Amino acid sequence: MSKAEAQAKKNEGNNFFKAKNYQAAIDKYSDAIALDPSDVTFYSNRSACYAALGRWQEAAEDGRQCIMADKNFVKGYFRQALALQNLGNLDTAQEAVKRGLGIDPQNADLKKMSKELDESIRLKKVESFITSAQIQLKEDDVNAAFKSVEAGLRLDPNNPDLARLMDRVRPLYERSEKQRLANLDPKERMKEEGDRLFKDAKFEEAIRAYTRALDAIPDKSSDLALKCYGNRAACYKQLSNFDGVIGDSTTVLEYKPDDVKSLMRRAQAYEACERYKSALQDVRQVLSYGVESVGKSTYDLANGMQHRLNRVIAQLRG
């Protein structure tokens, strides 16, 4: 009987919703929920009412309740994401959208919202870089300001505010960089040359620069030497020279056994060389550090590799 009564309350709520009497509709949907809390449409409809009144926190909570009641109810993800978007929680909203699209990849509302969120997140990052650069310039932190403007321009190459900031900061940065390079030890200068060549995607030339630096560094366990080995490994990876990646990464790991970048590079090289057990050992070590330590993107990459490697090893055994 309570289900029938709950549906009757929902119908009353629907009539109030159509009449744009949203508070009355909320009261009826709340009555329906009290009678039958298992029906996701009651939460979904109440979320829509809260959204119409701009009560986004409550709208988000009802969207979450939809998902808790039925994780396959796609509209629940949309309700939650819409509310989170309006609360300014863009990253969390995008997570909700992705989960919804995982259930229904062709859902038009979620696909549209995903694009809107991507654009909003991009613009928010651009504004953050502009603000950071302005503060850094006031604090005479020219290098940091240059990096902030550079990062912003990668996201929005035609942004006029960033262009004006770059006109201000570039001469200051170039002057500072020239002075810094002049004061460097010759070995450090060789390493810097390798970094510049790597950034310009001149990987073979970068390898030669790092090799010259390593030849000049007597202590191969020094921080400078290990940076050269790590960066040369990155060059080898770009050229699919997996033996080179393994060799240089292993050298770094002899002195820094918890170096995550070297573990991941070596794991990927091992996998490319079909040394699956060795690759699995490295990714498991990365995963053992936890997501807080290695970062979400690296953790997810290692986790995906672990699943893939386990499947391959199982197939080879079978």
Side-chain angles (χ1 to χ4, degrees):
M1 184 63 182
S2 62
K3 285 187 180 294
E5 289 175 349
Q7 286 297 323
K9 293 293 184 184
K10 174 190 172 183
N11 291 336
E12 290 180 50
N14 290 348
N15 289 331
F16 281 124
F17 183 86
K18 289 174 185 175
K20 298 186 178 181
N21 190 342
Y22 300 118
Q23 185 56 58
I26 287 169
D27 294 339
K28 294 300 178 182
Y29 293 136
S30 298
D31 291 342
I33 289 167
L35 291 165
D36 180 14
S38 67
D39 192 321
V40 293
T41 64
F42 302 161
Y43 295 107
S44 178
N45 290 7
R46 191 171 69 175
S47 179
C49 292
Y50 284 133
L53 294 172
R55 292 162 62 178
W56 297 112
Q57 196 66 54
E58 290 141 305
E61 176 58 23
D62 271 355
R64 189 180 72 85
Q65 290 292 340
C66 288
I67 297 164
M68 289 178 64
D70 182 0
K71 67 179 181 181
N72 293 316
F73 184 68
V74 174
K75 189 173 283 187
Y77 296 98
F78 176 79
R79 298 286 191 215
Q80 184 186 40
L82 178 65
L84 291 168
Q85 180 184 29
N86 281 277
L87 287 167
N89 299 336
L90 302 180
D91 291 330
T92 313
Q94 188 66 288
E95 287 177 17
V97 168
K98 287 177 181 177
R99 288 167 62 201
L101 287 171
I103 297 163
D104 182 5
Q106 301 306 317
N107 186 278
D109 289 333
L110 288 174
K111 287 171 73 175
K112 180 182 176 184
M113 182 173 286
S114 181
K115 290 180 180 178
E116 290 174 357
L117 286 167
D118 281 342
E119 179 62 8
S120 295
I121 290 168
R122 183 184 71 84
L123 292 174
K124 186 177 180 181
K125 286 180 179 177
V126 169
E127 286 301 316
S128 175
F129 284 126
I130 290 171
T131 301
S132 295
Q134 290 169 336
I135 292 169
Q136 289 154 351
L137 272 174
K138 287 180 181 177
E139 295 174 347
D140 291 326
D141 193 346
V142 174
N143 289 349
F146 182 80
K147 289 177 182 177
S148 293
V149 175
E150 214 176 26
L153 285 169
R154 282 196 292 271
L155 291 173
D156 192 356
N158 299 315
N159 186 289
D161 292 329
L162 285 168
R164 282 191 290 272
L165 276 168
M166 183 56 88
D167 288 342
R168 285 179 58 197
V169 77
R170 189 192 299 279
L172 298 172
Y173 172 78
E174 289 177 348
R175 193 181 309 132
S176 171
E177 188 68 2
K178 184 177 180 181
Q179 183 63 45
R180 185 185 69 83
L181 289 172
N183 293 333
L184 281 179
D185 178 276
K187 296 183 287 294
E188 292 177 329
R189 201 174 298 130
M190 293 178 203
K191 185 259 182 190
E192 292 274 337
E193 181 189 357
D195 293 346
R196 179 182 59 78
L197 291 165
F198 180 86
K199 189 176 180 181
D200 292 340
K202 297 177 180 178
F203 303 117
E204 291 181 351
E205 293 178 47
I207 287 169
R208 289 193 287 272
Y210 290 130
T211 301
R212 285 194 298 273
L214 285 165
D215 289 342
I217 299 170
D219 181 5
K220 298 300 188 281
S221 67
S222 68
D223 187 57
L224 181 60
L226 295 180
K227 285 179 181 178
C228 288
Y229 280 119
N231 291 1
R232 192 171 67 175
C235 294
Y236 284 137
K237 181 183 173 184
Q238 292 293 329
L239 298 172
S240 298
N241 181 343
F242 300 116
D243 288 335
V245 176
I246 292 167
D248 278 357
S249 298
T250 299
T251 299
V252 174
L253 292 165
E254 285 174 4
Y255 298 104
K256 296 173 68 178
D258 58 351
D259 188 85
V260 172
K261 285 184 179 179
S262 294
L263 284 166
M264 287 302 298
R265 284 193 193 112
R266 189 171 71 173
Q268 290 167 326
Y270 277 146
E271 183 180 20
C273 295
E274 300 182 5
R275 295 170 63 179
Y276 302 119
K277 290 183 180 179
S278 296
L280 185 59
Q281 184 176 342
D282 279 352
V283 295
R284 281 179 173 168
Q285 184 174 335
V286 171
L287 291 169
S288 73
Y289 299 145
V291 66
E292 295 284 336
S293 176
V294 304
K296 187 177 185 304
S297 59
T298 299
Y299 190 88
D300 288 346
L301 176 60
N303 196 37
M305 285 184 68
Q306 177 180 234
H307 291 305
R308 184 170 65 247
L309 290 163
N310 278 327
R311 286 196 301 271
V312 171
I313 291 169
Q315 289 168 359
L316 291 173
R317 284 175 181 163

